[in-house]
Amino acid sequence: MKVTLINHTPNPDETVAAAARLCYSPLGAAEIREKFLPGEAESFLNNLVEMGHLSPVEHVSFTFAIEGVSRVLSHQLVRHRIGVSYSQKSQRYVRENQFEYIIPPSILKNPEAEKIFRDKMGEIQLAYNELAKLVPPEDARYVLPNATETKLVVTYNARSLYHFFQLRCCKRAQWEIRHLAELMLEEVKKVAPSLFSKAGPTCVSQGICFEGKMSCGRVASIRSRS
C-alpha cells in the first residue's frame, strides 16, 4: 500500500486558527494571520480542538494518491461522503489483462490458504481474458474479485478526516482500511501537526470507546496515563 499527500491547503494550521479567531475578532482573517506570534496559532488550535469547535476545520483540505489497495477497501472508503471527493481507476476503460491483487495477511501466514488463493486468482485471470475477447471489458470485469488492486485520488476536508480517523484508526476497523487510515494520519501530521495532534480513534482523541463489549480495552490504559 502506498499513500502520498499530493496537495493540501497552504499553512493549514494557521488557516484554521485564523478562521476560528475571526469569529471573535474585529480584524480580517489575513490580518489575524499576520499578527500571530510564534507558537500562538498552535496553542489556539489546540484549545479549539479540545472545545470541539470544529466548523473552522472545514476550511482546509488534503488530497491523497492511494495505490496498492483492494476493491474491498474502496467499497468501504466511499461510505465516507460528507466533505469528500473521489476519483478511482476505472475497470470499464482500463483493461485488467494482468490484474494485481491484494492478499490478506491471514492468508499469507497460511501456506495452504495462500496456494488456494493464488490458484483462484490465476483461474479468474484466465476467465477474464477469455471473456474480454467475447464481450466488452465493462462486462468482462464482472468476473473480477474484490481482491483486485485499485488506485484512487481522494480529497477530504480536515473535519471529515477527523471523523474518518475516529472510525478507521480504531482497532475494530477492518485491517486494510485501518492501515490506510494510519498512513493518511502520518501524512497530514507532517504538514499540520497541531491540527491533527489529537486525531485518531475516540479512545485517543476523547478518552471514550463506543465499541461496548467489543472494545479492545485500550481506552483503560490511555485513561490511566492521563
Side-chain angles (χ1 to χ4, degrees):
M1 183 184 300
K2 182 179 179 181
V3 177
T4 307
L5 182 64
I6 59 174
N7 198 16
H8 62 85
T9 304
N11 303 311
D13 283 351
E14 291 185 6
T15 298
V16 172
R21 179 163 286 185
L22 176 70
C23 300
Y24 311 102
S25 172
L27 302 178
E31 188 175 357
I32 289 172
R33 281 188 61 178
E34 292 176 358
K35 292 182 179 296
F36 275 135
L37 298 173
E40 187 178 9
E42 290 77 8
S43 177
F44 186 80
L45 201 52
N46 288 334
N47 292 333
L48 179 77
V49 173
E50 287 181 3
M51 291 187 297
H53 182 198
L54 297 181
S55 60
V57 174
E58 297 174 13
H59 290 296
V60 296
S61 63
F62 302 82
T63 300
F64 305 85
I66 300 170
E67 302 176 34
V69 297
S70 72
R71 286 260 167 175
V72 169
L73 183 145
S74 66
H75 294 336
Q76 296 179 79
L77 194 62
V78 295
R79 294 176 65 187
H80 297 269
R81 300 182 298 275
I82 300 174
V84 190
S85 298
Y86 298 101
S87 297
Q88 184 173 10
K89 172 187 171 184
S90 171
Q91 290 182 331
R92 183 181 186 190
Y93 298 109
V94 180
R95 287 181 176 267
E96 298 282 9
N97 294 327
Q98 192 59 54
F99 72 89
E100 300 291 334
Y101 50 85
I102 308 303
I103 307 179
S106 63
I107 292 178
L108 284 173
K109 292 177 182 177
N110 186 317
E112 182 180 358
E114 182 180 356
K115 183 179 185 307
I116 293 171
F117 190 91
R118 290 187 184 275
D119 287 348
K120 291 303 176 183
M121 292 300 107
E123 291 175 14
I124 291 172
Q125 182 68 78
L126 292 174
Y128 173 86
N129 292 345
E130 290 300 312
L131 284 170
K133 298 174 184 176
L134 304 171
V135 300
E138 66 180 43
D139 294 335
R141 63 178 165 165
Y142 276 70
V143 77
L144 293 172
N146 276 336
T148 304
E149 188 266 354
T150 190
K151 299 175 177 63
L152 305 99
V153 171
V154 302
T155 300
Y156 284 69
N157 72 41
R159 189 172 189 176
S160 294
L161 275 176
Y162 271 30
H163 180 64
F164 177 74
F165 294 144
Q166 285 180 350
L167 297 178
R168 303 303 187 172
C169 287
C170 175
K171 289 186 180 293
R172 286 271 300 143
Q174 186 259 353
W175 67 268
E176 190 180 12
I177 200 167
R178 184 173 69 247
H179 184 39
L180 172 67
E182 290 168 348
L183 292 177
M184 289 170 65
L185 181 55
E186 288 179 11
E187 288 294 293
V188 296
K189 280 186 172 181
K190 295 175 185 176
V191 297
S194 296
L195 183 59
F196 292 102
S197 63
K198 299 183 184 301
T202 56
C203 59
V204 173
S205 62
Q206 303 174 32
I208 301 171
C209 178
F210 296 103
E211 296 299 320
K213 293 181 179 179
M214 296 183 177
S215 172
C216 69
R218 181 168 61 165
V219 67
S221 62
I222 292 174
R223 287 174 180 168
S224 67
R225 295 196 301 267
S226 60

